[in-house]
């Protein structure tokens, strides 16, 4: 009996199984394909090449879901312990950008077929470069928070002779979080990203029509 008691006490002292972090992305996106007839009726927008999205490095180069407590220290970025993005934020944003802009225009990868087109003296699509400067769940109070994304968009004309700057724009969007936790921050950042992409889309259309 004494030996059994030691066994029980030993089992109770064993550590719990490690808790796995929840994995998040922006959702499945559009679940229905646009009918061919509807695609044909859409206004023809110029093709666009999208470069990889750059970051300032460090915190945004990994998969952590980040938050700030601005009422304590607005300069400190903290990672949620049990939440991760499925890929680094810049890759998630680029994936969403391709999906949204590709509904009305042809989208190319900047490093994919452009080198071949350049060697053949083809007309190259304009190039969109983005810098992701902020992507975090920001708390202004313990019960008040937003998802904040800050981007810098640069539109470049490509030619065999080189590149020409066409326009540049800063995009800052925030959306309220439905809850003061990681799932709430993820929903807010998803909504903020979609709104930022919509703003970039309108800017591109206005700029390319000049």
């Amino acid at each position: 009996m004494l030996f059994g008691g030691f066994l029980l006490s030993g089992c109770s002292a064993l550590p719990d199984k490690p808790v796995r972090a929840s994995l998040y992305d922006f959702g499945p996106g559009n679940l229905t394909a646009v009918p061919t007839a509807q695609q044909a009726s859409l206004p023809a927008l110029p093709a666009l090449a999208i470069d990889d999205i750059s970051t300032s490095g460090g915190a945004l180069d990994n998969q952590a879901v980040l938050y700030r407590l601005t009422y304590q220290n607005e300069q400190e970025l903290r990672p949620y312990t049990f939440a991760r993005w499925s890929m680094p934020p810049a890759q998630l944003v680029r994936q969403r950008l391709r999906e949204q802009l590709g509904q009305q225009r042809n989208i190319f990868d900047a490093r994919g077929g452009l080198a071949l087109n350049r060697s053949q003296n083809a007309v190259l699509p304009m190039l969109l470069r983005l810098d992701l400067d902020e992507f975090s769940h920001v708390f202004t109070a313990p019960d008040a928070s937003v998802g904040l994304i800050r981007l810098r968009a640069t539109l470049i004309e490509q030619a065999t002779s080189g590149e020409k700057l066409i326009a540049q724009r800063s995009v800052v969007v925030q959306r309220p979080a439905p809850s003061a936790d990681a799932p709430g921050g993820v929903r807010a950042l998803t909504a903020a990203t979609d709104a930022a992409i919509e703003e970039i889309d309108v800017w591109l259309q206005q700029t390319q029509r000049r």
Side-chain angles (χ1 to χ4, degrees):
M1 291 181 63
L2 183 61
F3 180 69
F6 280 126
L7 283 179
L8 289 175
S9 62
C11 291
S12 63
L14 291 176
D16 294 333
K17 291 183 179 179
V19 178
R20 296 182 61 183
S22 297
L23 205 61
Y24 295 97
D25 59 17
F26 290 156
N30 191 4
L31 298 179
T32 58
V34 179
T36 304
Q38 185 176 342
Q39 285 180 326
S41 66
L42 291 174
L45 296 177
L48 188 69
I50 299 178
D51 209 344
D52 292 338
I53 297 179
S54 300
T55 68
S56 54
L60 291 178
D61 286 342
N62 57 59
Q63 295 168 246
V65 180
L66 301 172
Y67 68 96
R68 294 181 188 270
L69 304 180
T70 60
Y71 57 91
Q72 290 185 359
N73 184 358
E74 64 180 11
Q75 295 177 318
E76 183 181 3
L77 275 171
R78 310 182 187 196
Y80 279 107
T81 304
F82 299 117
R84 295 287 184 274
W85 294 110
S86 60
M87 60 183 75
Q91 295 181 32
L92 281 173
V93 172
R94 187 177 187 275
Q95 184 182 72
R96 195 71 153 193
L97 183 76
R98 282 184 57 92
E99 176 187 327
Q100 298 296 333
L101 298 186
Q103 294 180 14
Q104 299 186 72
R105 65 175 82 214
N106 291 324
I107 298 294
F108 298 94
D109 288 325
R111 300 180 182 177
L114 294 184
L116 178 62
N117 289 337
R118 186 178 284 109
S119 66
Q120 297 175 345
N121 294 323
V123 176
L124 299 174
M126 286 194 177
L127 174 65
L128 177 64
R129 287 184 176 143
L130 293 176
D131 295 286
L132 182 63
D133 297 322
E134 181 74 22
F135 194 77
S136 63
H137 185 193
V138 179
F139 286 82
T140 55
D143 58 349
S145 60
V146 299
L148 174 63
I149 181 172
R150 187 168 66 250
L151 292 160
R152 185 170 63 258
T154 304
L155 187 63
I156 295 171
E157 183 181 278
Q158 300 185 107
T160 54
S161 58
E163 298 180 345
K164 176 184 176 182
L165 175 65
I166 299 300
Q168 201 168 55
R169 182 185 182 93
S170 293
V171 178
V172 181
V173 179
Q174 60 184 24
R175 289 293 183 268
S179 57
D181 52 14
V186 166
R187 292 188 183 95
L189 283 165
T190 301
T193 300
D194 286 342
I197 292 172
E198 184 177 351
E199 185 175 328
I200 290 171
D201 189 19
V202 172
W203 170 71
L204 285 171
Q205 294 185 41
Q206 293 172 344
T207 304
Q208 291 180 297
R209 287 172 181 165
R210 294 174 185 172

